[in-house]
């Protein structure tokens, strides 16, 4: 078990595939949000296109693009539909009922990639993948309006192997803007440490902090429109590491 765990940690961030989804026209008016800011659909689409371009063209990941579904206005935020670690995928049960069907296309795509699928079927459990952070060593789960204790327990059962390790130490990077902390980290064999982070246009002070990470390839990616819908850079992809032998 320890050997498997060490192998998993050594490979943390070595992603090979990303699952993303198109932006439905219904996103602008019907997607869930906590603010009432006007969303520019064309802007959201071009931002998303640039994001997908970075994953596929610039970073060389194999990108699986699922079609948008107009009846699921939030479907571009694929991170909430699944939590993937190693070769296991937990299909979640999103807290908002209007989003439950988003998991169908995600489950089909992850099956296609030969991952071991575990489904959250308990009707008392809710979990949004966006409330889950995996550090390469352990999972942190934020209990929220969308994720409850039962959902967190099912996640813990699904990825039990992690519980043997605790008491990790982390180097902390403190940012002046809370929202800027939502970044996408990768450790790619031919690129090293990569960090996709919000732009200076959005968070000028935080970007000067990111620039202290001299050993990272820093890629600013604009997220202004999707931020109006509480969507961050991590929300729009599910990253997967497929070993050559799978």
């Amino acid at each position: 078990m320890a050997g498997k765990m060490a192998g998993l940690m050594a490979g943390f961030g070595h992603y090979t595939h990303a699952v993303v989804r198109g932006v439905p026209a219904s996103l602008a008016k019907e997607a869930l949000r906590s603010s009432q800011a006007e969303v520019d659909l064309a802007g959201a689409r071009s931002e998303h296109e640039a994001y997908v371009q970075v994953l596929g063209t610039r970073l060389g990941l194999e990108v699986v693009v699922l079609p948008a579904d107009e009846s699921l206005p939030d479907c571009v935020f694929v991170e909430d539909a699944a939590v993937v670690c190693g070769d296991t995928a937990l299909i979640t049960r999103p807290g908002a009922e209007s989003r439950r069907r988003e998991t169908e296309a995600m489950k089909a795509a992850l099956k296609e990639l030969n991952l071991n699928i575990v489904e959250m079927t308990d009707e008392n459990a809710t979990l949004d993948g966006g409330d889950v952070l995996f550090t390469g060593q352990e999972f942190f789960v934020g209990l929220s309006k969308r994720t409850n204790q039962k959902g967190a327990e099912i996640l813990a059962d699904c990825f039990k192997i992690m519980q043997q390790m605790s008491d990790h130490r982390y180097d902390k990077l403190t940012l002046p803007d809370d929202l800027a902390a939502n970044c996408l980290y990768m450790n790619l064999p031919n690129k090293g440490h990569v960090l996709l982070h919000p732009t200076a246009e959005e968070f000028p002070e935080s970007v000067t902090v990111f620039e202290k990470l001299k050993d990272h390839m820093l890629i600013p990616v604009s997220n202004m429109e999707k931020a109006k819908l509480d969507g961050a850079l991590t929300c729009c992809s599910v990253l997967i590491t497929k070993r050559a032998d799978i």
Side-chain angles (χ1 to χ4, degrees):
M1 207 49 132
K4 182 175 179 192
M5 189 64 229
L8 198 57
M9 280 174 55
F12 178 58
H14 289 8
Y15 300 115
T16 55
H17 291 65
V19 179
V20 300
R21 197 163 190 179
V23 177
S26 55
L27 173 97
K29 297 275 181 278
E30 296 167 45
L32 303 170
R33 69 202 75 193
S34 48
S35 85
Q36 287 313 306
E38 193 66 24
V39 175
D40 169 1
L41 180 65
R45 282 185 165 154
S46 66
E47 255 177 19
H48 190 58
E49 208 171 298
Y51 173 86
V52 174
Q53 196 72 14
V54 166
L55 297 177
T57 311
R58 183 150 179 201
L59 296 175
L61 299 184
E62 186 93 17
V63 180
V64 176
V65 184
L66 305 178
D69 182 332
E70 288 301 334
S71 69
L72 297 169
D74 292 279
C75 67
V76 68
F77 302 122
V78 290
E79 177 187 40
D80 289 321
V83 177
V84 177
C85 185
D87 46 19
T88 298
L90 174 66
I91 305 300
T92 65
R93 192 167 177 272
E97 201 151 331
S98 63
R99 301 194 59 190
R100 301 261 161 89
R101 280 182 35 250
E102 291 177 31
T103 59
E104 294 167 9
M106 178 56 69
K107 179 178 146 187
L110 297 177
K111 259 194 172 144
E112 191 75 11
L113 288 166
N114 294 327
L115 293 175
N116 302 321
I117 306 286
V118 178
E119 288 188 73
M120 189 174 281
T121 52
D122 185 325
E123 294 195 353
N124 299 312
T126 59
L127 182 93
D128 274 21
D131 287 334
V132 177
L133 171 67
F134 179 54
T135 66
Q137 307 185 96
E138 56 193 339
F139 281 101
F140 290 95
V141 182
L143 300 180
S144 69
K145 292 198 290 278
R146 306 281 179 80
T147 295
N148 65 16
Q149 184 67 36
K150 190 80 186 137
E153 285 165 10
I154 292 173
L155 177 98
D157 285 346
C158 178
F159 299 110
K160 267 213 175 68
I161 170 174
M162 307 302 161
Q163 297 178 337
Q164 304 167 359
M165 313 184 71
S166 58
D167 217 22
H168 297 292
R169 302 180 67 81
Y170 295 102
D171 291 329
K172 295 190 183 70
L173 189 69
T174 305
L175 300 171
D177 309 282
D178 288 354
L179 291 175
N182 204 309
C183 300
L184 213 49
Y185 167 78
M186 298 181 207
N187 180 4
L188 302 176
N190 51 352
K191 303 262 190 311
H193 300 292
V194 178
L195 196 70
L196 274 64
H197 62 78
T199 61
E201 194 184 351
E202 295 160 275
F203 300 112
E205 293 170 11
S206 290
V207 169
T208 61
V209 178
F210 288 130
E211 283 163 357
K212 294 178 183 166
L213 296 170
K214 299 287 182 221
D215 56 345
H216 284 58
M217 178 194 277
L218 298 173
I219 305 180
V221 181
S222 174
N223 191 51
M224 285 181 156
E225 294 306 318
K226 288 181 287 195
K228 295 173 184 174
L229 302 162
D230 311 319
L233 288 179
T234 58
C235 299
C236 297
S237 55
V238 170
L239 300 175
I240 297 159
T241 307
K242 293 227 352 130
R243 298 196 309 274
D245 57 0
I246 294 182

